[in-house]
Amino acid sequence: MRLSRSFLPTLKETPSEAQIVSHRLMLRAGLIRQTASGIYAWLPAGLRVLRNIAQIVREEQDAVGAQEVLMPTLQSADLWKRSGRYDAYGPEMLRIRDRHERDLLYGPTNEEMITDLFGQGVKSYKELPQVLYHIQWKFRDEVRPRFGVMRGREFLMKDAYSFDVSYEAAVDSYRRMMLAYLRTFQRLGVRAVPMVADTGPIGGDLSHEFLILAPTGESGVFYDGELETLDWLGEPVDVADRVSLDKFFSNVTSYYAATDEKHDEDAWDQVPGDRRREGRGIEVGHIFYFGTKYTKAMDISVAGPEGEAIYPEMGSYGIGVSRLAGAIIEASHDEAGIIWPDSVAPFKAVIINLKVGDATCDALCETLYAAAPEQFLYDDRTDRAGAKFADADLMGHPWQLIVGPRGAKEQKVELKRRATGERFELPADEALARVISR
Amino acid sequence: MRLSRSFLPTLKETPSEAQIVSHRLMLRAGLIRQTASGIYAWLPAGLRVLRNIAQIVREEQDAVGAQEVLMPTLQSADLWKRSGRYDAYGPEMLRIRDRHERDLLYGPTNEEMITDLFGQGVKSYKELPQVLYHIQWKFRDEVRPRFGVMRGREFLMKDAYSFDVSYEAAVDSYRRMMLAYLRTFQRLGVRAVPMVADTGPIGGDLSHEFLILAPTGESGVFYDGELETLDWLGEPVDVADRVSLDKFFSNVTSYYAATDEKHDEDAWDQVPGDRRREGRGIEVGHIFYFGTKYTKAMDISVAGPEGEAIYPEMGSYGIGVSRLAGAIIEASHDEAGIIWPDSVAPFKAVIINLKVGDATCDALCETLYAAAPEQFLYDDRTDRAGAKFADADLMGHPWQLIVGPRGAKEQKVELKRRATGERFELPADEALARVISR
């Protein structure tokens, strides 16, 4: 994309309404704009980030056998009356009445709808397990929306739902999803630690939240320092094998990690003193086993081997896709701006032309740009170099290809790595190979 | 995808609520399910179709320089009050009140919001033209939703908006979009004819609807028979050159084509008698120039060369993405089911194993499937052959790779082309090459 022709409106001043760094940087870098309280439009660079995140989430869901569907944003109130949640849900649910005076709602989650769809499509225990997910906009009418996309009202979420024939099989599904989540966050370039979460009346230990450690997080967290460096994904896992899944799960959950809500002083005392860490975290995912709560309430069963009715055991699994855009910035930025992980960055690199109008500079920049126009942002504006450097650092492109008249004569560029500040003077083709190979 | 493990619930009986063939086939082939009146969930195969359509639309928008953004589904009523449309819009607008008693609405279109975002980001005439688009769910509260996704209430639309410095430049943007639309529909495997549409109080000839010719269309159409075969895209067009755009546009619009609303008997009489065609059409796109209507009403201007305020000239350009899934089926089906164009099909081919459990059949099927598991549906169910053939024809995969025990011994398969019914007995690798090369 050529910056001179792009809709990438960066801001020099810090917007006063933004209280936390990710919100400030997303506004300043031209990623989002607020259109109503807690509701945002994603501008071209922001949408690229959002789509990169969603695509990684999708690939890792698919890799453990989940199937993607797309449920609508609006739901019938009748569906929620079948589970009993319509009256139970608080004012966070946005209730709507259509022109025929029928009650609708903007879905905050989809347990009822997916259970109903499952029931229409699956009739026999032989078709289990089924894991269905979608990536769709949700709405929760927060009293005080804040922190930009971190706590917006309209937000993009991946929610998956598993249906299994037995408790044991449901545990397998749960563990596969734990694996998918750890892989997802690793690919997103963030460390999200699974922490035991509340299971409510269902009990058991099958509820985990995934928190990115960051000082601006909304939850206090207590965890074993080993978790800062541990490689959960070092050993291959056979997702079709219960023993392999069990080993993986035991390994991941053997270190202490809990939010303040679930903090257990006795267990904490068992953690060696020099490994105890207290901090704050941002919740970006939640996995939860809840058994037959919805299948029984909505009377959705499949036929078992003897023709008997089996109520499938369910779990649900969420990832805050739009929230992650903010959370990744909270975990990865500096004074100058965003530091995008390569996998999430809207552009792999920015090409900075230090002297637009100089034939040699222009020609070299065009050559570089032509190598991967979808992946590069070309700063072809006539602005002064300082402004271009500041915008490049602010927007957080992983690489900067800096082209000045002196280097250009020798077909050389300066390559800067945003994350480390390292600079290399390289022949243009070598610099290109380095950037594109990532 | 392995059919035995997939959520692809086909129906044998014809659902009684479906009045037209595309709706019946989308339900029977397991593409969609209704979740509320005029609101649908897209099941895995349906979502693949929807995404294929959206991706082609996106690529052709990008190719003419449009930039993708993503605006939210809910909008503030205040925004619509600025243009005066809040009170003018009828009961098709879904009006919502949030917990703080603020008025929101589910966007039926986005002129106001994009104009506001444009105004926040673009300050100088030098940054024009700008063409911004998004692909997002919309809501129109139809009195009688029907025909499945063809006339649903929650629907996916691509809407683009152009901002230009002058009328002449706006005409160029309009013509570029005409080109993008013809390329889009060609790639989607349908012939959508541009027809002069109503411009309302703005006047001029810069409004066209694109209609797919199909007997179930909602509009009567009159057109020159040449349009059934004419190749609009035969000549290259330089989108940066006004003369080239003008030549292209004159060529496309030189043949008579109008919906009954705009039918002109005098012009019709000029069409040679043997070329006059009357029929019906399904509207799948609409492009429209409307000048400074919104920029003036909302007081959004850019600075001109002398610092003077210029109100940008706008156009808007819609494509019904979810509607297209139905419209393509209306234009491409037979008694047995859907005939997907290759570019839109959820799977390139189905592998039909005629004898699941036979070691030779199973092995050959697995080899074929492993060649492109994301692109193939593997019918590994234990059902009888007749049921598998019927489902394959119903679901409309472009190719069927049929594997029986006799052929499998010689590593041969039967390859069937769904559109023509042609069958070829081929060595497995040749069949594979034929399917994948498409």
Side-chain angles (χ1 to χ4, degrees), chain A residues 46-297:
Chain A
L47 178 57
R48 282 170 167 250
V49 170
L50 191 67
R51 191 175 292 150
N52 289 342
I53 296 170
Q55 184 57 24
I56 289 173
V57 169
R58 175 177 292 125
E59 287 171 12
E60 295 303 332
Q61 292 291 296
D62 293 347
V64 293
Q67 298 177 70
E68 190 173 3
V69 298
L70 186 57
M71 291 177 274
T73 60
L74 297 195
Q75 305 186 24
S76 151
D78 291 340
L79 198 54
W80 285 63
K81 287 174 184 163
R82 283 173 62 191
S83 73
R85 280 211 292 181
Y86 187 67
D87 294 323
Y89 219 102
E92 282 75 30
M93 179 187 275
L94 188 67
R95 293 157 204 264
I96 302 169
R97 189 158 281 179
D98 74 10
R99 69 190 292 175
H100 296 302
E101 303 291 322
R102 282 174 302 211
D103 289 318
L104 300 173
L105 56 97
Y106 200 119
T109 176
N110 286 67
E111 281 81 2
E112 286 82 356
M113 190 179 280
I114 200 75
T115 304
D116 186 56
L117 288 168
F118 168 86
Q120 289 179 49
V122 178
K123 301 299 176 193
S124 160
Y125 77 100
K126 289 184 197 162
E127 298 167 68
L128 301 185
Q130 290 275 348
V131 186
L132 302 170
Y133 75 99
H134 75 158
I135 301 176
Q136 178 61 294
W137 294 91
K138 312 282 192 296
F139 200 92
R140 284 187 195 155
D141 202 357
E142 301 272 354
V143 183
R144 271 181 299 282
R146 56 196 159 148
F147 304 153
V149 300
M150 294 265 284
R151 196 163 192 146
R153 294 198 292 169
E154 186 169 330
F155 59 98
L156 188 61
M157 188 163 103
K158 185 284 298 180
D159 39 325
Y161 304 90
S162 62
F163 297 86
D164 278 285
V165 73
S166 67
Y167 174 76
E168 291 70 27
V171 170
D172 291 342
S173 288
Y174 184 91
R175 291 172 174 180
R176 274 190 286 267
M177 206 49 89
M178 165 80 82
L179 177 67
Y181 274 44
L182 292 175
R183 286 175 175 163
T184 300
F185 296 122
Q186 186 181 61
R187 285 184 61 192
L188 291 172
V190 287
R191 177 155 281 255
V193 177
M195 304 201 180
V196 176
D198 213 3
T199 51
I202 287 158
D205 61 351
L206 292 179
S207 177
H208 285 85
E209 293 174 350
F210 293 76
L211 288 100
I212 293 178
L213 303 173
T216 48
E218 74 271 292
S219 311
V221 294
F222 300 82
Y223 63 96
D224 187 327
E226 295 289 294
L227 291 171
E228 289 172 349
T229 52
L230 201 70
D231 180 9
W232 291 301
L233 300 170
E235 302 261 311
V237 183
D238 177 358
V239 295
D241 176 46
R242 188 165 290 169
V243 176
S244 177
L245 282 170
D246 185 49
K247 191 176 157 206
F248 155 75
F249 187 75
S250 302
N251 178 34
V252 171
T253 55
S254 62
Y255 296 87
Y256 186 84
T259 60
D260 42 17
E261 284 176 4
K262 292 285 288 180
H263 186 47
D264 173 350
E265 287 291 346
D266 291 338
W268 186 234
D269 287 342
Q270 309 295 312
V271 180
D274 61 332
R275 279 165 41 188
R276 288 183 211 161
R277 302 278 188 283
E278 295 182 35
R280 303 200 70 78
I282 302 166
E283 187 196 331
V284 289
H286 191 174
I287 60 177
F288 189 62
Y289 159 80
F290 49 74
T292 56
K293 179 176 171 184
Y294 294 95
T295 47
K296 280 196 174 150

Side-chain angles (χ1 to χ4, degrees), chain A residues 51 73 99 106 141 154, chain B residues 42 68 73 99 106 141 154:
Chain A
R51 191 175 292 150
T73 60
R99 69 190 292 175
Y106 200 119
D141 202 357
E154 186 169 330
Chain B
W42 295 74
E68 190 173 3
T73 60
R99 67 190 292 175
Y106 201 119
D141 203 357
E154 186 170 330

Side-chain angles (χ1 to χ4, degrees), chain B residues 229-250:
Chain B
T229 53
L230 201 71
D231 180 9
W232 291 301
L233 300 170
E235 302 260 311
V237 183
D238 177 357
V239 296
D241 176 45
R242 188 165 290 167
V243 175
S244 178
L245 281 170
D246 185 48
K247 191 175 157 207
F248 156 75
F249 187 74
S250 301

Side-chain angles (χ1 to χ4, degrees), chain B residues 397-414:
Chain B
H397 316 291
W399 297 96
Q400 300 172 10
L401 289 156
I402 303 160
V403 179
R406 205 163 46 91
K409 272 188 203 144
E410 303 166 39
Q411 295 289 301
K412 279 191 176 167
V413 305
E414 189 177 22

